Amino acid sequence: MKILVTITETESVDTVFEIDGLEIDSRYLSTDLNEWDAYALEEAVQIAEDGGGEVVTATIGPEGVEGTVRQALAKGADRAIRVWDEELAALDILDPLTKATVLGAVVDAEQPDLVFTGVQSGDDVFGATPVALASTLGWAWGTVVNDLQIDEVAHVHRELEGNLEELTDVERPAVLSIQTGINQPRHASLRDITRAQQAEIDTRSLADLDLDVDAIASPIEQTDLYEPESEGEATIYEGSPEETATELAAVIEETGVIR
Amino acid sequence: MTVLAIAEHRRGELREVSLELLAASRKLADATDGGLHVGVVSGDIERYTERLNREDVDVVHTVAYGEEFNHDVYTQAVTQLVEAVEPTVVLAPNTVNGLDYLPAVAERLDIPIVTDATELSYDEHLTVTRELYGGKVETTLDIDTQQAAVTIRPGSWPRAGGTGDAEISAFDARIDESAVRSTVTGFQEIGGEVDIAEADVLVAVGRGIESEDNLEIVRDLADALDATLAASRPVIDNGWLPADRQVGQSGKTVSPELYIAVGISGTVQHVSGVRAETFIAINDDPNAPIFEVADYGVVDDLFEVVPALTEQLTRS
Ligand SMILES: Cc1cc2nc3c(=O)[nH]c(=O)nc-3n(C[C@H](O)[C@H](O)[C@H](O)COP(=O)(O)OP(=O)(O)OC[C@H]3O[C@@H](n4cnc5c(N)ncnc54)[C@H](O)[C@@H]3O)c2cc1C
Ligand SMILES: Nc1ncnc2c1ncn2[C@@H]1O[C@H](COP(=O)(O)O)[C@@H](O)[C@H]1O
């Protein structure tokens, strides 16, 4: 079985950061393999290990994300594809439908049996790319999957709200968005990391994928980026751990929960 | 401008977020003196319609087809409804099921989709406010198209009240059975031995604890308070605590007298599950959104503060 896993790099802002216009300077940002994609990758790699097959990753992003792509290679992906060019770089934001169009073209080129994605990207949190992608492809889909058995169909558990799971059978081919906790993602060995450093990353432009620029023109414009105004009314204690602990202990005693 | 809001129900109950959706939609429609249309698909539509018929709702469109949510049915029905009603904005809740069909509707109609909106406004075009980076940054997006699809964050709007005199209209959606490629075969409730929802005092631990071995210090704090140990999702995902300890959207909603969050950032999926009388947060990041919901906080290293607190409590 051939499984394509979509992989994105997520950014998180550091404790101290500044916003300059619509940008946060990269020195205030840490990057990592998106948490949800790490679980999607592990699920695909385990299936390939158990039953044979190939795991290919697909990432839309500039050259700077190759470190993250290599992490995925070190954790068991066989090949990696990265899509980027000037047209993509010129977009205001990479919105879900644009991502679906581009990833859809990669799926068309690769013809995998299944596509695994993460439930959401940790920074943009759209949570919309997987279903948009399935729809572009005309494939079936299953989202927020925290348990998976594959035979002629995919038997999935979808994690709903409030400790409730929906049991669903999804026809194949399908796009499945994978939820954290479905497995325990592995740590790459030093040997795998070294091997991944040397691996070739297949880089493609929109033209390579037969996509024209109009197909990716996004009508969404970012107009502001700011730190939310604090609406909280928390009393914050300062001082040494002993001092703050004394304050907290007093608050706790006040609540009367200690009997 | 017409707004179309698609209600959500599950296992025979209209979900409360549907009423928040009405409030959000009404506000948007009012901004342009437009109409508010509501769509309800599958299940006991008559009963749902009664509850959805709130003040200022103009039309409720009902689609009688099947019982439970099925995304292939919803995708077809809502796509056809949008084509018929021609709303400027189609809205759904930003829930697991809302996100399971609205992106497909948007893709089919070739209209942009923005998810998890916390504010909406309309002045010549739609403006959506949403959070980035786990709630530490906010952004506004302008969408300059004839139509757009948006999901709204639960808990960000009040619930629509009053009773209305909406026109109830049966919508004749043509569902192509061959395009229904997923089948819901059942539901499963996730139980466990410990019911954290019953506890008066909860000490909740998050990813900031770093390793399973370090849990010892929060265990000690919980013991000193005779409290129950709970956790955010990463602690459960790593297998450090069993699933019945998870607080939040996919775990349990808790309402203790005292909640102490240790090394938890405060994403919406976590804090939406906490209604505490007194809420204390310990986190070394002053910008962590957990301080927005806390009553008392300490911005410091949990490995220093937690043992110090335990000692204070055992001494007194
Ligand atoms: C569909 C869906 C459902 C979900 N359901 C849930 C749910 O039910 N419950 C849930 O919790 N999450 C849920 N999540 C996950 C949620 O989005 C977050 O990923 C999760 O809540 C983050 O957990 P955290 O705050 O422990 O970790 P992080 O966000 O990583 O925060 C760790 C915090 O610890 C602080 N910290 C680190 N070191 C220290 C130190 N030494 N001292 C003090 N502070 C420190 C950091 O500043 C940071 O704020 C769900 C996600 C999805 C997509
Ligand atoms: N730039 C990207 N490149 C490749 N895959 C992506 C990208 N952005 C999102 N995805 C995939 O889509 C999932 C959901 O992302 P989102 O809709 O942005 O929240 C992620 O977990 C990834 O698997």
Side-chain angles (χ1 to χ4, degrees):
Chain A
M1 180 143 41
K2 177 171 173 181
I3 305 176
L4 185 124
V5 185
T6 58
I7 295 283
T8 183
E9 176 176 276
T10 39
E11 296 175 334
S12 51
V13 288
D14 296 340
T15 306
V16 179
F17 66 97
E18 277 168 34
I19 296 172
D20 183 12
L22 297 175
E23 309 262 345
I24 299 173
D25 193 275
S26 62
R27 77 195 131 122
Y28 303 119
L29 296 169
S30 316
T31 58
D32 203 351
L33 170 60
N34 184 36
E35 191 179 352
W36 282 268
D37 297 349
Y39 287 87
L41 175 67
E42 178 65 31
E43 198 64 16
V45 171
Q46 283 184 16
I47 290 169
E49 282 172 350
D50 291 349
E54 191 186 20
V55 176
V56 182
T57 67
T59 303
I60 310 167
E63 202 178 344
V65 305
E66 289 203 345
T68 293
V69 174
R70 287 185 199 285
Q71 261 190 62
L73 287 166
K75 287 172 193 249
D78 298 296
R79 284 193 291 125
I81 297 166
R82 180 176 68 83
V83 186
W84 199 247
D85 61 14
E86 283 168 12
E87 273 87 27
L88 284 165
L91 284 181
D92 211 26
I93 66 161
L94 214 45
D95 72 284
L97 292 192
T98 308
K99 291 197 260 198
T101 305
V102 175
L103 294 171
V106 179
V107 174
D108 283 340
E110 286 291 323
Q111 299 284 315
D113 300 293
L114 288 169
V115 173
F116 289 179
T117 74
V119 167
Q120 63 177 28
S121 49
D123 45 9
D124 286 340
V125 286
F126 284 120
T129 305
V131 172
L133 172 60
S135 182
T136 350
L137 294 167
W139 285 20
W141 68 87
T143 58
V144 199
V145 171
N146 67 2
D147 187 80
L148 170 65
Q149 299 302 325
I150 296 169
D151 43 50
E152 296 82 52
V153 299
H155 306 276
V156 305
H157 289 205
R158 293 183 61 230
E159 185 192 272
L160 304 181
E161 293 86 0
N163 277 332
L164 186 68
E165 292 180 357
E166 182 198 276
L167 314 184
T168 305
D169 288 345
V170 181
E171 287 178 17
R172 291 170 47 188
V175 175
L176 303 178
S177 83
I178 305 293
Q179 174 65 314
T180 60
I182 189 174
N183 53 41
Q184 290 294 331
R186 68 195 65 191
H187 295 285
S189 70
L190 205 56
R191 216 191 53 190
D192 289 332
I193 294 170
T194 315
R195 185 181 45 79
Q197 286 310 326
Q198 280 137 23
E200 185 92 15
I201 294 173
D202 179 356
T203 309
R204 301 195 194 166
S205 65
L206 294 177
D208 294 336
L209 294 168
D210 289 329
L211 284 173
D212 62 30
V213 188
D214 296 340
I216 61 134
S218 170
I220 304 176
E221 190 195 347
Q222 186 173 37
T223 51
D224 205 356
L225 191 72
Y226 54 94
E227 277 188 69
E229 231 166 84
S230 174
E231 286 167 5
E233 281 154 24
T235 306
I236 305 289
Y237 296 115
E238 287 174 15
S240 69
E242 287 68 34
E243 286 163 348
T244 54
T246 308
E247 300 282 5
L248 290 184
V251 168
I252 292 169
E253 259 158 56
E254 189 77 2
T255 63
V257 296
I258 305 177
R259 277 173 270 265
Chain B
M1 164 179 93
T2 304
V3 177
L4 175 64
I6 309 299
E8 178 162 324
H9 57 85
R10 194 169 87 187
R11 303 176 91 194
E13 298 296 332
L14 189 74
R15 302 193 74 210
E16 293 299 318
V17 66
S18 303
L19 301 179
E20 298 169 17
L21 189 71
L22 294 188
S25 307
R26 177 74 269 164
K27 225 176 136 208
L28 204 55
D30 274 350
T32 54
D33 293 325
L36 170 51
H37 291 232
V38 177
V40 55
V41 182
S42 307
D44 193 348
I45 45 177
E46 256 173 57
R47 195 159 46 87
Y48 302 147
T49 301
E50 242 168 71
R51 287 203 67 206
L52 290 165
N53 189 355
R54 301 270 154 147
E55 207 173 325
D56 291 336
V57 173
D58 297 301
V59 188
V60 181
H61 303 271
T62 61
V63 177
Y65 190 97
E67 281 306 311
E68 283 296 337
F69 173 80
N70 174 294
H71 64 230
D72 297 311
V73 172
Y74 265 62
T75 301
Q76 296 186 50
V78 175
T79 302
Q80 291 169 27
L81 201 50
V82 172
E83 282 167 338
V85 176
E86 297 186 332
T88 308
V89 185
V90 52
L91 290 172
N94 195 65
T95 50
V96 170
N97 282 349
L99 289 169
D100 197 37
Y101 73 91
L102 202 65
V105 172
E107 195 280 329
R108 266 151 228 215
L109 295 166
D110 197 18
I111 62 176
I113 177 161
V114 176
T115 60
D116 203 19
T118 55
E119 269 177 65
L120 293 169
S121 63
Y122 198 93
D123 182 11
E124 283 169 34
H125 52 247
L126 179 68
T127 302
V128 181
T129 305
R130 66 194 304 277
E131 291 180 350
L132 299 173
Y133 305 115
K136 286 166 83 173
V137 177
E138 260 174 29
T139 187
T140 54
L141 302 173
D142 279 6
I143 305 160
D144 205 4
T145 49
Q146 296 285 317
Q147 282 189 325
V150 178
T151 62
I152 66 150
R153 172 175 291 192
S156 300
W157 279 267
R159 288 175 193 161
T163 29
D165 52 358
E167 174 196 335
I168 315 294
S169 160
F171 181 72
D172 185 20
R174 297 164 311 279
I175 306 299
D176 172 4
E177 299 260 348
S178 69
V180 177
R181 283 178 300 173
S182 60
T183 316
V184 179
T185 59
F187 291 93
Q188 186 173 306
E189 271 161 53
I190 309 305
E193 281 166 17
V194 179
D195 190 358
I196 52 173
E198 293 288 308
D200 291 333
V201 185
L202 285 169
V203 173
V205 56
R207 186 168 7 225
I209 198 70
E210 285 171 13
S211 78
E212 187 171 9
D213 291 345
N214 293 341
L215 281 181
E216 215 41 50
I217 62 164
V218 282
R219 275 214 176 87
D220 290 344
L221 176 59
D223 286 346
L225 282 165
D226 205 10
T228 303
L229 201 56
S232 67
R233 181 171 195 123
V235 173
I236 311 293
D237 286 343
N238 284 322
W240 301 341
L241 283 175
D244 54 12
R245 305 282 177 148
Q246 184 175 313
V247 174
Q249 174 184 310
S250 52
K252 277 230 162 75
T253 297
V254 296
S255 41
E257 286 171 41
L258 174 64
Y259 191 80
I260 307 183
V262 177
I264 295 177
S265 64
T267 58
V268 62
Q269 287 108 348
H270 183 79
V271 298
S272 61
V274 190
R275 320 215 187 309
E277 271 169 48
T278 304
F279 194 133
I280 295 176
I282 301 169
N283 193 308
D284 62 6
D285 179 356
N287 294 319
I290 196 87
F291 292 118
E292 289 297 304
V293 292
D295 302 304
Y296 301 93
V298 172
V299 181
D300 204 351
D301 186 357
L302 70 91
F303 295 105
E304 303 264 353
V305 180
V306 171
L309 179 57
T310 307
E311 207 198 303
Q312 279 288 336
L313 292 166
T314 31
R315 214 188 298 154
S316 57

